Amino acid sequence: MRRASNDTKRCVACGVCALTCPREAISIFKGCYAVVDESKCVGCGLCEKACPAGTIRVMEVQDGSR
Amino acid sequence: MAAGKKKHWYDYLWIWTIVYFALGFFNILFAWLGMIDFILPLIFAIAGGNKWFCNHMCGRGQLFWVLGRNLKCSRRKPAPKWLSSTWFRYGFLTFFMTMFGTMIFQTYLVFSGAGSLRKAIKLFWTFRVPWKWAYNGSVFPDWVAQFGFGFYSLMLTSTLIGLIVMALYKERTWCTFCPMGTMTQGICRIKSKKGN
């Protein structure tokens, strides 16, 4: 299944992804980086298009978190 | 902003950015109000250990979004990776703080009487633009106005840089190397590592 995944090391925690997410699946963890709730994410890619640092990407992830 | 989401009062703070620059155009003393944008994010980061200001309240970031996304003034192309790299972010923060320090020193010179008030704005730390209509004396001493001119220059320059990278790359590319963003994220990282 395709889900948004974030490179937390390079993430700038600006929060644009969280603002654009229509499912409210993204939150900013303690002001450090964005975290994707894979049970809510539908892999639409709106966050990827908005991310100014290019750290959040929709990719194939292993099912099992549901 | 995603469609269908509940709107909050703080979703409209991009208007504040425009109002701020408009006020400073007519009276430079209003430039002091920009200190809110300096102090609030730091309070959120130090006291709350979060970037709630960046995430929800930054009028500048919102303005880039409104212009770039809603008014289609952005190419929306990925920015070069070095723009959001650690060395560039902290390098830019250092440069910015140095320039801030220089501005404080200029204010001090006027305060001490060693320098005189210059009614001008400096863009990109290089180009002097006359701005004499924005100040005709007040109840405050000259150094207060000098700080206003310096601070307004800083705010305008950084917004212009933000607008350039907005047009060239993603809407909020500025956020990747915004000195306040780098600083607050740094504070949040230290706080989260400490475990509180």
Side-chain angles (χ1 to χ4, degrees), chain B residues 94-159:
Chain B
T94 309
F95 171 76
F96 211 80
M97 291 316 282
T98 309
M99 288 311 184
F100 188 76
T102 311
M103 188 267 285
I104 297 292
F105 184 66
Q106 299 259 321
T107 308
Y108 169 74
L109 287 181
V110 175
F111 169 79
S112 68
S116 57
L117 173 65
R118 277 191 163 161
K119 296 180 187 179
I121 293 290
K122 227 174 188 188
L123 288 181
F124 301 101
W125 302 281
T126 317
F127 309 107
R128 197 179 291 279
V129 183
W131 212 263
K132 54 179 184 289
W133 57 83
Y135 192 68
N136 293 305
S138 67
V139 292
F140 300 106
D142 271 359
W143 68 266
V144 176
Q146 181 60 53
F147 179 86
F149 283 111
F151 199 63
Y152 193 81
S153 307
L154 199 110
M155 294 294 271
L156 194 56
T157 298
S158 50
T159 303

Side-chain angles (χ1 to χ4, degrees), chain A residues 11 13-14 18 21 30 32 49, chain B residues 5 49 51 55 170 185 188:
Chain A
C11 179
C14 64
C21 180
K30 288 183 178 177
C32 297
K49 287 204 182 84
Chain B
K5 265 192 194 172
K51 270 174 63 106
N55 302 161
K170 294 276 169 105
Q185 191 187 22
C188 288

Side-chain angles (χ1 to χ4, degrees), chain B residues 1-42:
Chain B
M1 258 24 55
K5 265 192 194 172
K6 196 174 164 259
K7 282 272 192 180
H8 305 274
W9 64 270
Y10 49 77
D11 289 328
Y12 300 94
L13 283 172
W14 55 273
I15 299 166
W16 159 245
T17 306
I18 298 168
V19 169
Y20 173 77
F21 287 114
L23 287 173
F25 183 84
F26 294 106
N27 193 322
I28 205 64
L29 294 179
F30 284 114
W32 278 83
L33 289 174
M35 287 303 281
I36 299 169
D37 296 311
F38 261 59
I39 294 161
L40 261 187
L42 288 173

Side-chain angles (χ1 to χ4, degrees), chain A residues 8-16 18-22 24 28 30-33 46 48-53, chain B residues 1-2 5 49-51 54-56 65 69 76 79 81 84 89 170-173 175-176 185 188-189 192:
Chain A
T8 55
K9 283 210 176 76
R10 286 187 53 245
C11 179
V12 298
C14 64
V16 180
L19 290 176
T20 47
C21 180
E24 295 185 25
I28 307 299
K30 288 183 178 177
C32 297
Y33 47 78
L46 285 176
E48 180 178 333
K49 287 204 182 84
C51 178
Chain B
M1 258 24 55
K5 265 192 194 172
N50 62 52
K51 270 174 63 106
C54 293
N55 302 161
H56 300 280
W65 189 261
R69 180 64 67 102
R76 296 174 63 186
K81 264 194 170 175
S84 53
R89 293 180 72 199
K170 294 276 169 105
E171 299 88 345
R172 282 179 68 161
T173 302
C175 299
T176 64
Q185 191 187 22
C188 288
R189 276 188 180 149
S192 76

